[in-house]
Amino acid sequence: MNPPPAPVGRRAVRFPGLLRRVLLPLAVVFTVLAASGWITSGEPGTPDPRTQRLMAWNRDAIGGAELPSVTSSPERIASFFASMGHRKWMVLAERHPEVVGNLDGVPAEVRYAANRHALNRARQEELARTDDERLSAAGRHHAGRLANRYASLLREDRRILSFDPSGGGRAAEVFGDLDTAHRISVVVPGVDTDLLTFERTRMRYRSPVGMAEALHAEQTAADPDRESAVIAWADYTTPRGVGVSAATGELAAEGADRLVRAVEGLPGEAPVALFCHSYGSVVCGLAADRLSDRVSDIVVAGSPGMRVSRADRLGTDARVWATRAVGDWIRDVPHLAVGPLGHGTDPVHPSFGALHLASGSARGHTGYFEPGTDSLRNFARIGTGLLTTVTGARGAPLCTPESTVGLPA
């Protein structure tokens, strides 16, 4: 009788089959991603373009002075640029647009100029990709959409404060003049925000650009004698859809770090109000205890929670306001926190302790910045400091002249 095959022999026969079952699907996925343009080929060990640009910045100098680290504080960055003249500003903006355009503390006009250079470069790259036969039809179509978006952002009347095309992309745009504004408002959006949803033609006021544009117009109408500026700040990576990433605070924590630096890098000393929509309110909640003292107000709309049980645990002296519109589905999201899941108490619940704003005619989860709504009117009054005209959920004023004594004008 022949002896049974050794175990090693059995594994040797089956192992190739296992390899095929594991590696073949991975090879298919890789091929699809590469054909769609999501994976780029490069020499082994070659740094990605973003790293290459940072390395070029670190190696450079101007007027004999080394350039500051990109991790330097916004105050240090502002001090460095203040030591130079306008000509050197523009040299750096042209030489290192992707760095200068995203560096908090750099003068706003320099960032605008740098981001025009970066947008032009990115647009040319995407236009080239639209004719690249190595990409799938879907990849070429996506490149065309991005090229069109960049062309829109390059219009002469636009002030792009930050621009990063990596991943889904990030951006921030200014309405008004940051250098002369008496008050500054920052709109922090929620999930599914990237370069392609940064602005919209349809459902215009559901995009960060539309929200900021509407708020700036309303603030100008509310207080035409004092100039205000509004920033559409979509400069963090947001969750895709209402999934696990939206139910946790990981992306919000990264966004909070970026928001803190962004506020620190704003010019002047004008009071700042944050308007945080949906998941953006999680970002604002995690940033609250590190925000500059110039932040006078934090307004949350359609919030899933701010990762604290009460407003007084946010660690900020800023006033905290909350509103939720009729029909906003966020009310059905469980407002709890279990380990990393959930964002805590509903900010419009009385136990949270926020000032409860009227939203009135606003409808649904994305209607808070629609012109003509009570929510937008209240946002504008907060943004301009006209606190005695802000109305609560029952239509009555929330602040009296006595309660606003000593507050930022």
Side-chain angles (χ1 to χ4, degrees), residues 286-327:
L286 290 175
D289 63 345
R290 294 174 288 145
L291 289 168
S292 165
D293 291 340
R294 65 190 292 191
V295 174
S296 59
D297 298 270
I298 300 174
V299 184
V300 299
S303 174
M306 301 182 75
R307 299 192 75 81
V308 292
S309 59
R310 298 200 311 263
D312 59 10
R313 292 184 177 176
L314 287 169
T316 177
D317 291 330
R319 288 176 293 274
V320 180
W321 313 73
T323 189
R324 186 170 62 215
V326 173

Side-chain angles (χ1 to χ4, degrees), residues 12 59 75 111 139 190 210 214 217 223 229 237 239 264 325 336 368:
R59 291 193 301 265
E75 183 180 13
R111 294 179 69 171
D223 192 358
T237 301
E264 288 177 357
L336 47 79
Y368 294 96

